mmCIF file of all heavy atoms in Angstrom:
data_model
loop_
_atom_site.group_PDB
_atom_site.id
_atom_site.type_symbol
_atom_site.label_atom_id
_atom_site.label_comp_id
_atom_site.label_asym_id
_atom_site.label_seq_id
_atom_site.Cartn_x
_atom_site.Cartn_y
_atom_site.Cartn_z
ATOM 1 N N LEU A 59 20.207 -5.657 -4.586
ATOM 2 C CA LEU A 59 19.802 -5.427 -3.211
ATOM 3 C C LEU A 59 20.769 -6.023 -2.140
ATOM 4 O O LEU A 59 21.398 -7.133 -2.442
ATOM 5 C CB LEU A 59 18.419 -6.066 -2.928
ATOM 6 C CG LEU A 59 17.268 -5.531 -3.858
ATOM 7 C CD1 LEU A 59 16.064 -6.425 -3.603
ATOM 8 C CD2 LEU A 59 16.988 -4.062 -3.560
ATOM 9 N N ASP A 60 20.961 -5.416 -1.017
ATOM 10 C CA ASP A 60 21.785 -5.956 -0.003
ATOM 11 C C ASP A 60 20.834 -6.714 1.037
ATOM 12 O O ASP A 60 19.638 -6.789 0.895
ATOM 13 C CB ASP A 60 22.604 -4.958 0.703
ATOM 14 C CG ASP A 60 21.815 -3.793 1.417
ATOM 15 O OD1 ASP A 60 20.656 -4.084 1.763
ATOM 16 O OD2 ASP A 60 22.298 -2.724 1.537
ATOM 17 N N ASP A 61 21.466 -7.246 2.098
ATOM 18 C CA ASP A 61 20.679 -8.053 3.004
ATOM 19 C C ASP A 61 19.826 -7.234 4.026
ATOM 20 O O ASP A 61 19.031 -7.814 4.808
ATOM 21 C CB ASP A 61 21.608 -9.003 3.802
ATOM 22 C CG ASP A 61 22.554 -8.291 4.750
ATOM 23 O OD1 ASP A 61 22.568 -7.021 4.744
ATOM 24 O OD2 ASP A 61 23.335 -8.958 5.466
ATOM 25 N N ARG A 62 19.880 -5.948 3.900
ATOM 26 C CA ARG A 62 19.003 -5.098 4.717
ATOM 27 C C ARG A 62 17.650 -4.830 4.071
ATOM 28 O O ARG A 62 16.774 -4.262 4.647
ATOM 29 C CB ARG A 62 19.714 -3.741 5.008
ATOM 30 C CG ARG A 62 20.892 -3.869 5.936
ATOM 31 C CD ARG A 62 21.663 -2.612 6.015
ATOM 32 N NE ARG A 62 22.254 -2.256 4.739
ATOM 33 C CZ ARG A 62 22.896 -1.102 4.488
ATOM 34 N NH1 ARG A 62 23.012 -0.237 5.420
ATOM 35 N NH2 ARG A 62 23.386 -0.899 3.272
ATOM 36 N N HIS A 63 17.510 -5.253 2.769
ATOM 37 C CA HIS A 63 16.296 -4.987 2.043
ATOM 38 C C HIS A 63 15.136 -5.834 2.656
ATOM 39 O O HIS A 63 15.263 -6.966 2.940
ATOM 40 C CB HIS A 63 16.434 -5.352 0.601
ATOM 41 C CG HIS A 63 15.191 -5.180 -0.169
ATOM 42 N ND1 HIS A 63 14.644 -3.989 -0.552
ATOM 43 C CD2 HIS A 63 14.319 -6.173 -0.652
ATOM 44 C CE1 HIS A 63 13.520 -4.193 -1.230
ATOM 45 N NE2 HIS A 63 13.288 -5.502 -1.320
ATOM 46 N N HIS A 64 14.031 -5.186 2.886
ATOM 47 C CA HIS A 64 12.812 -5.868 3.327
ATOM 48 C C HIS A 64 12.094 -6.466 2.175
ATOM 49 O O HIS A 64 11.486 -5.748 1.348
ATOM 50 C CB HIS A 64 11.859 -4.896 4.090
ATOM 51 C CG HIS A 64 12.063 -4.869 5.595
ATOM 52 N ND1 HIS A 64 12.548 -3.759 6.236
ATOM 53 C CD2 HIS A 64 11.843 -5.841 6.514
ATOM 54 C CE1 HIS A 64 12.606 -4.057 7.484
ATOM 55 N NE2 HIS A 64 12.234 -5.280 7.743
ATOM 56 N N PHE A 65 12.091 -7.793 2.094
ATOM 57 C CA PHE A 65 11.166 -8.423 1.121
ATOM 58 C C PHE A 65 9.771 -8.345 1.721
ATOM 59 O O PHE A 65 9.612 -8.085 2.902
ATOM 60 C CB PHE A 65 11.568 -9.895 0.885
ATOM 61 C CG PHE A 65 12.740 -10.039 -0.069
ATOM 62 C CD1 PHE A 65 14.055 -10.004 0.395
ATOM 63 C CD2 PHE A 65 12.528 -10.215 -1.357
ATOM 64 C CE1 PHE A 65 15.111 -10.095 -0.472
ATOM 65 C CE2 PHE A 65 13.575 -10.368 -2.289
ATOM 66 C CZ PHE A 65 14.855 -10.296 -1.810
ATOM 67 N N THR A 66 8.774 -8.565 0.838
ATOM 68 C CA THR A 66 7.360 -8.461 1.252
ATOM 69 C C THR A 66 6.727 -9.752 1.051
ATOM 70 O O THR A 66 6.866 -10.337 -0.051
ATOM 71 C CB THR A 66 6.658 -7.313 0.486
ATOM 72 O OG1 THR A 66 7.271 -6.094 0.733
ATOM 73 C CG2 THR A 66 5.213 -7.241 0.898
ATOM 74 N N LEU A 67 5.891 -10.221 1.997
ATOM 75 C CA LEU A 67 5.021 -11.329 1.831
ATOM 76 C C LEU A 67 3.730 -10.806 1.395
ATOM 77 O O LEU A 67 3.014 -10.167 2.101
ATOM 78 C CB LEU A 67 4.893 -12.145 3.167
ATOM 79 C CG LEU A 67 6.214 -12.698 3.743
ATOM 80 C CD1 LEU A 67 5.926 -13.434 5.035
ATOM 81 C CD2 LEU A 67 6.881 -13.681 2.704
ATOM 82 N N VAL A 68 3.345 -11.042 0.161
ATOM 83 C CA VAL A 68 2.069 -10.583 -0.428
ATOM 84 C C VAL A 68 1.024 -11.612 -0.118
ATOM 85 O O VAL A 68 1.118 -12.766 -0.621
ATOM 86 C CB VAL A 68 2.168 -10.332 -1.912
ATOM 87 C CG1 VAL A 68 0.857 -9.828 -2.519
ATOM 88 C CG2 VAL A 68 3.258 -9.265 -2.192
ATOM 89 N N CYS A 69 0.057 -11.258 0.734
ATOM 90 C CA CYS A 69 -0.904 -12.220 1.343
ATOM 91 C C CYS A 69 -2.301 -12.032 0.700
ATOM 92 O O CYS A 69 -2.665 -10.934 0.317
ATOM 93 C CB CYS A 69 -0.948 -12.080 2.843
ATOM 94 S SG CYS A 69 0.623 -12.350 3.701
ATOM 95 N N GLN A 70 -3.047 -13.132 0.697
ATOM 96 C CA GLN A 70 -4.380 -13.059 0.200
ATOM 97 C C GLN A 70 -5.360 -12.322 1.164
ATOM 98 O O GLN A 70 -6.187 -11.628 0.761
ATOM 99 C CB GLN A 70 -4.914 -14.449 -0.114
ATOM 100 C CG GLN A 70 -6.336 -14.469 -0.702
ATOM 101 C CD GLN A 70 -6.865 -15.884 -0.881
ATOM 102 O OE1 GLN A 70 -6.201 -16.865 -0.477
ATOM 103 N NE2 GLN A 70 -8.089 -16.024 -1.403
#
Side-chain angles (χ1 to χ4, degrees):
L59 301 171
D60 61 27
D61 64 359
R62 292 171 294 176
H63 176 74
H64 266 112
F65 280 87
T66 299
L67 300 180
V68 179
C69 301
Q70 182 186 1

